[in-house]
Amino acid sequence: MPISVHEGLFEIQTRQTSYVFGVNEQGILQHLYWGKTIAAQECAYRLRSRSHSSFDAQVEREYEEYSFWGGVGYVEPTLKVRFSDHVRDLKMVYEGYRIVTDNGVEELILTLKDAHYDLLVHLHYKVIAEWDMIERYAEAVNAGKTAIVIENMQSAAWAVPYLPQYRMTHVTGRWSGEYQLRDTVLSEGKKTIESRRGFTGPHANPWFAIDDGTATETAGNVWFGALGWSGNWKIVAEKSSFNHVRVTGGINDFDSEWLLQPGETFTAPVFVGGYTPSGFGEMSRSFHRYQREYVLPGAATRKVL
């Protein structure tokens, strides 16, 4: 089965990859592993809180599956809201999970609830096992009686395993010079690619790939993702002082808020991710197969603009 649960560990298996996370003793959803196929129990020992010093408490929050604004979390937040009493801190508590199946595709849905306010968050993981892809997105539900302002809601955060060096590849361009390949070695801080033009065009594309700087077209470990959203978007790759790298992505929060009325649900767009040990060429082929056979299946010739 693509999805299995073992005593607080959540294991997602695709054709040749594993994705593992769990609930630690503080109730935080902590990422553990993403890469070549393993058994979830092999990384169970990592499911624990960590503290480096009084200035660096809860270091494991740098590997949160979905990071909420508040407390001592200092990484790029994936959800930031403002309640009717102007409180902005979130303390989300893990509530449970369920697994659903639609046309043979399994989906894991986890639910978290704020400890003080009636805000629910559902985290979705849909497994496209044959193409080594995982579709992720989040939903915010206002279960209270007053409106909630969503200041920033990202689709997902992808934690990249430890590498001696992180090279991020993306594309940029302009009219008549589209999709120029660029790569950047990540140092401590943030690398942001984004569009604030209201549409996805030649200037930027919501896609990234990360390797250790040695991957080629035919060999090497590559972690990658793409955002299924054509409006304003942003993708942020953040490297901490502890050499942790997370890539968050979703709707661009620049000059943007969303009023979530009582009983309403806000759904973020899909952020799909994958891993391959066979270089950038296999990454491209995985994306193409996923798009042609799952996103837009059919044999008809497509129009070209």
Side-chain angles (χ1 to χ4, degrees), residues 90-248:
L90 286 167
K91 184 169 179 57
M92 304 301 293
V93 179
Y94 170 73
E95 293 249 303
Y97 76 94
R98 59 192 174 99
I99 299 173
V100 300
T101 304
D102 183 20
N103 292 325
V105 177
E106 284 194 358
E107 182 174 4
L108 172 66
I109 305 171
L110 293 94
T111 299
L112 299 96
K113 184 185 180 302
D114 189 83
H116 304 286
Y117 297 91
D118 292 320
L119 173 68
L120 297 173
V121 173
H122 302 301
L123 304 181
H124 292 252
Y125 299 75
K126 185 176 290 187
V127 187
I128 319 301
E130 59 268 45
W131 298 294
D132 295 316
M133 306 289 250
I134 304 172
E135 289 186 348
R136 293 180 59 188
Y137 67 96
E139 292 179 313
V141 181
N142 185 352
K145 297 181 179 179
T146 57
I148 300 171
V149 177
I150 297 177
E151 297 184 357
N152 178 18
M153 185 172 183
Q154 300 298 289
S155 297
W158 298 98
V160 182
Y162 173 81
L163 300 174
Q165 176 179 270
Y166 297 88
R167 176 176 64 178
M168 178 178 176
T169 303
H170 63 100
V171 291
T172 186
R174 57 193 180 278
W175 182 87
S176 193
E178 298 85 350
Y179 303 109
Q180 302 294 311
L181 206 59
R182 298 287 184 265
D183 59 70
T184 303
V185 174
L186 298 177
S187 59
E188 288 76 6
K190 297 179 183 179
K191 164 71 174 179
T192 301
I193 57 174
E194 65 176 358
S195 173
R196 293 183 288 179
R197 295 170 176 262
F199 57 88
T200 297
H203 302 90
N205 190 273
W207 163 83
F208 77 92
I210 288 182
D211 74 300
D212 65 358
T214 66
T216 65
E217 280 294 301
T218 57
N221 297 311
V222 181
W223 291 263
F224 56 90
L227 185 67
W229 179 251
S230 58
N232 287 349
W233 58 270
K234 75 171 183 179
I235 291 176
V236 178
E238 181 176 15
K239 181 180 178 181
S240 77
S241 57
F242 292 95
N243 206 40
H244 296 162
V245 168
R246 294 167 82 244
V247 182
T248 62

Side-chain angles (χ1 to χ4, degrees), residues 58-79:
Q58 293 189 2
V59 175
E60 79 281 355
R61 292 198 64 182
E62 295 184 359
Y63 271 159
E64 260 188 299
E65 274 293 290
Y66 198 82
S67 51
F68 301 96
W69 176 271
V72 293
Y74 302 110
V75 296
E76 179 78 8
T78 40
L79 182 63

